[in-house]
Amino acid sequence: MSDIKQIIEAGQAVLGIEFGSTRIKAVLIEPNTLKPIAQGAHEWENRLEDGFWTYHLDDIWGGLQDCYHELQKDVKSQYGCEIMKLASIGFSAMMHGYMAFDKDGNQLAQFRTWRNANTSEAAEKLTELFQFNIPERWSISHLYQCILNKEDHISKVDFFTTLAGYVHWKLTGQKVLGVGDASGMFPIDSNTMDYNKSYADKFNQILKDEKLPYTLEQLLPKVLVAGQNAGTLTAEGAKLLDTTGTLEAGCPLCPPEGDAGTGMVATNSVAVRTGNVSAGTSIFAMVVLEKALAKLHREIDNVTTPDGLQVAMVHANNCTSDLNAWVGLFADFLRAAKIDMDMNTLFKTLYNEALTNGAVDCDGIITYGYLSGENITNMPEGRPLLARMPESKFTIGNLFRSNLNTSLGAIRLGMNILKNEQVKIDKLLGHGGLFKTKGVGQSIMADALNTPVWVMTTAGEGGAWGIALLAAYLAHHDKCTLPEFLDECVFKDAEGSKIDPNPTGVAGFEKFLERYVLCLGVEREAVNCLKQ
């Protein structure tokens, strides 16, 4: 404790903060073991306003400041001191989306998150133009859709970025972005570690035809790779982060990254033939490629690691949100019945019932946890849905097995494409909320993907720890590559557990998936029939 106190007081600790979809989390790590020594968090939630999923700027800053305040409280409680200065800082957040600003730094339109699926026209046209998959949630899709819609603000845009890029800009004055996060704004050329010039030239022709007063290069943040200095904390930035004025300015920041990149770092999945699955509000699988995919696939994103290697990303918008809502329903029953049970115990009870007593094919119960649209299954909007055969045994085990299976349905369809492309994966690591109940999400995923799934003991640290590691890498980048840094300095003695697929579970999931695909028409009719 005294050693850690000295490290904190000497300003040698490293801070990572990640904006997730439901929680902002701060992790303070010490510079030698690179393990967390203090944490803080703030719960938040997106809003659906004027047809867009969004967060207000006040939500961002109020949430960040509360998160940092909770971190300071944890430091004070554990070590009896305060954070006055830091060795380095890193910020990460949900990838993609659209945050646009004019030349005076004023926000021009509401923040449109990755969750919005209103950009299908733009995404289709850009994919056709580039012959490169441009998903609906990518920042360039949002910008182009605004142009197609002739939104009033579009002629005034001076800069657009992601959430991580926005926070970093306000704290440092630097309009930059880590290559991984940038690869979710616009395609990256891994040879130049910059935006793909030929695609940019084609988009600039669109801008010229629309008589808009800028080029794409003028609007996008500068691309940086892991280990590069991305600026320093300004005096104004320090006050934005720490409203008490205790934190000193001047420490370096690493390039801001997206949650996909920090997930790769936090699971040591940045080398070729490694992969990870992050399963929370949304779910995405990242596989570092040996070579580019042979064909264009609309279901597969082409992004990069934080150090610029090509990655195939299978992303599904919906994973645990509706599953959590079902748990909440049972919590509401317990409250009404005046039965005391904490949420962790409730989750464990329901999840283990699904694994132990649920039929592997869910006995004909089919669910869709679609709170929003789903690109992989071509669903424009979300309608959570439950259907079953009259003879299905409607038990807690079967219901929750169905909810767990369906949270992996869309991602499995995307992973089938990588399998057909002969993409090799030596190791697949899981992290995120789905894996909190030991063994359950891991077993379901192993069966769903028919591959061994590892969960490291560090998996619960998540993306905030991942971006803290990238901030710590600033002091190591001249001595080793990012994979070497993670292998030798971070994960050398890491422990984890592996669960292999169970043949019975694999067969059961295949049967469930067959119904999942057949009943997509029912989900589509629900979208058509259930209108606000």
Side-chain angles (χ1 to χ4, degrees):
M1 286 292 185
S2 61
D3 289 345
I4 293 176
K5 180 179 179 180
Q6 290 174 12
I7 286 169
I8 294 171
E9 290 180 332
Q12 296 171 350
V14 176
L15 175 62
I17 297 180
E18 180 160 281
F19 290 76
S21 53
T22 59
R23 185 169 67 153
I24 305 169
K25 184 177 179 180
V27 170
L28 192 70
I29 65 175
E30 67 101 33
N32 300 312
T33 66
L34 302 168
K35 292 180 179 178
I37 54 177
Q39 299 187 16
H42 171 84
E43 304 294 323
W44 73 335
E45 191 57 72
N46 56 189
R47 312 160 183 251
L48 184 60
E49 294 182 346
D50 301 323
F52 293 105
W53 291 102
T54 188
Y55 301 86
H56 294 182
L57 295 188
D58 288 346
D59 299 334
I60 295 169
W61 295 113
L64 175 61
Q65 290 159 2
D66 182 59
C67 176
Y68 186 81
H69 175 69
E70 290 299 309
L71 173 70
Q72 280 279 38
K73 282 173 59 178
D74 190 33
V75 169
K76 185 75 171 178
S77 172
Q78 289 195 72
Y79 311 110
C81 61
E82 292 184 322
I83 303 170
M84 299 187 68
K85 56 183 178 179
L86 292 159
S88 54
I89 307 176
F91 287 95
S92 65
M94 301 165 280
M95 287 179 70
H96 318 299
Y98 181 71
M99 298 191 78
F101 303 89
D102 66 16
K103 60 182 176 60
D104 297 317
N106 299 309
Q107 189 179 24
L108 292 171
Q110 70 271 65
F111 170 29
R112 300 171 190 184
T113 75
W114 59 269
R115 199 168 199 170
N116 292 287
N118 65 300
T119 60
S120 57
E121 181 185 4
E124 288 290 342
K125 287 185 175 181
L126 291 176
T127 297
E128 180 64 27
L129 178 65
F130 299 157
Q131 284 301 293
F132 180 95
N133 183 37
I134 303 295
E136 294 174 351
R137 63 189 174 280
W138 278 31
S139 304
I140 193 63
S141 295
H142 285 280
L143 175 67
Y144 189 33
Q145 193 65 52
C146 291
I147 293 171
L148 291 172
N149 293 347
K150 302 191 182 302
E151 295 192 28
D152 292 340
H153 77 273
I154 203 65
S155 64
K156 303 173 187 175
V157 178
D158 182 71
F159 173 57
F160 79 120
T161 189
T162 65
L163 176 54
Y166 166 69
V167 173
H168 183 96
W169 167 41
K170 289 300 182 181
L171 295 186
T172 66
Q174 301 298 310
K175 296 178 178 178
V176 300
L177 208 56
V179 65
D181 206 8
S183 69
M185 289 194 74
F186 193 83
I188 291 289
D189 183 339
S190 288
N191 294 314
T192 63
M193 298 295 180
D194 205 349
Y195 302 110
N196 186 294
K197 187 178 186 307
S198 65
Y199 300 159
D201 289 343
K202 291 179 179 181
F203 193 82
N204 283 332
Q205 186 59 51
I206 292 175
L207 299 178
K208 185 177 180 181
D209 293 343
E210 293 288 338
K211 297 181 171 54
L212 289 166
Y214 44 70
T215 64
L216 181 63
E217 292 87 346
Q218 291 170 333
L219 302 185
L220 285 165
K222 180 182 177 181
V223 179
L224 299 176
V225 298
Q228 288 187 284
N229 190 304
T232 57
L233 183 67
T234 63
E236 296 80 6
K239 290 176 183 177
L240 268 177
L241 180 57
D242 181 6
T243 57
T244 68
T246 304
L247 181 63
E248 296 178 12
C251 74
L253 273 76
C254 70
E257 265 298 348
D259 51 357
T262 58
M264 284 187 276
V265 170
T267 55
N268 194 19
S269 304
V270 298
V272 294
R273 293 178 64 141
T274 62
N276 78 89
V277 179
S278 175
T281 302
S282 65
I283 181 169
F284 50 85
M286 313 286 294
V287 180
V288 186
L289 300 174
E290 295 177 282
K291 58 181 180 179
L293 298 179
K295 299 178 182 177
L296 166 68
H297 298 283
R298 289 294 280 127
E299 303 88 350
I300 307 296
D301 293 16
N302 295 274
V303 292
T304 77
T305 62
D307 56 345
L309 295 180
Q310 291 189 39
V311 174
M313 178 181 185
V314 185
H315 184 285
N317 286 346
N318 302 280
C319 185
T320 61
S321 291
D322 194 51
L323 179 55
N324 293 342
W326 276 103
V327 176
L329 180 68
F330 280 80
D332 199 37
F333 164 76
L334 292 174
R335 179 198 55 78
K338 295 182 172 56
I339 299 172
D340 186 27
M341 182 182 289
D342 66 87
M343 289 300 292
N344 284 336
T345 302
L346 180 58
F347 266 99
K348 288 179 181 177
T349 301
L350 295 172
Y351 276 34
N352 281 308
E353 182 69 13
L355 188 64
T356 305
N357 295 318
V360 289
D361 67 346
C362 311
D363 199 34
I365 297 174
I366 189 73
T367 52
Y368 293 98
Y370 287 10
L371 265 71
S372 60
E374 194 56 77
N375 174 64
I376 290 176
T377 55
N378 195 29
M379 204 63 60
E381 297 177 34
R383 299 293 186 272
L385 188 69
L386 165 67
R388 58 191 174 99
M389 298 296 291
E391 66 273 16
S392 297
K393 294 179 181 177
F394 195 49
T395 64
I396 292 175
N398 287 341
L399 173 63
F400 274 86
R401 183 82 182 212
S402 179
N403 279 313
L404 285 162
N405 278 4
T406 201
S407 67
L408 303 173
I411 203 80
R412 162 59 194 277
L413 295 176
M415 292 295 281
N416 283 352
I417 296 169
L418 297 187
K419 184 177 180 181
N420 292 336
E421 278 264 13
Q422 306 299 312
V423 171
K424 305 297 183 185
I425 307 174
D426 292 336
K427 197 171 188 179
L428 190 64
L429 296 103
H431 62 110
L434 186 68
F435 303 100
K436 283 185 178 179
T437 299
K438 186 176 180 180
V440 178
Q442 191 178 358
S443 294
I444 301 289
M445 182 171 288
D447 292 345
L449 302 183
N450 195 17
T451 191
V453 175
W454 285 81
V455 172
M456 308 302 291
T457 54
T458 54
E461 305 298 349
W465 183 52
I467 191 64
L469 293 176
L470 287 172
Y473 180 58
L474 285 174
H476 296 262
H477 77 280
D478 58 342
K479 299 184 285 288
C480 57
T481 65
L482 181 60
E484 289 169 346
F485 169 69
L486 295 177
D487 281 340
E488 296 301 320
C489 300
V490 184
F491 292 97
K492 189 174 183 179
D493 300 315
E495 297 179 355
S497 63
K498 181 182 77 164
I499 291 182
D500 292 309
N502 180 301
T504 302
V506 171
F509 190 89
E510 291 295 336
K511 192 172 180 181
F512 172 86
L513 189 68
E514 184 179 345
R515 291 197 191 98
Y516 179 94
V517 172
L518 287 172
C519 292
L520 283 168
V522 179
E523 172 69 16
R524 191 162 283 107
E525 279 304 304
V527 172
N528 293 334
C529 296
L530 287 171
K531 300 291 185 182
Q532 288 184 336

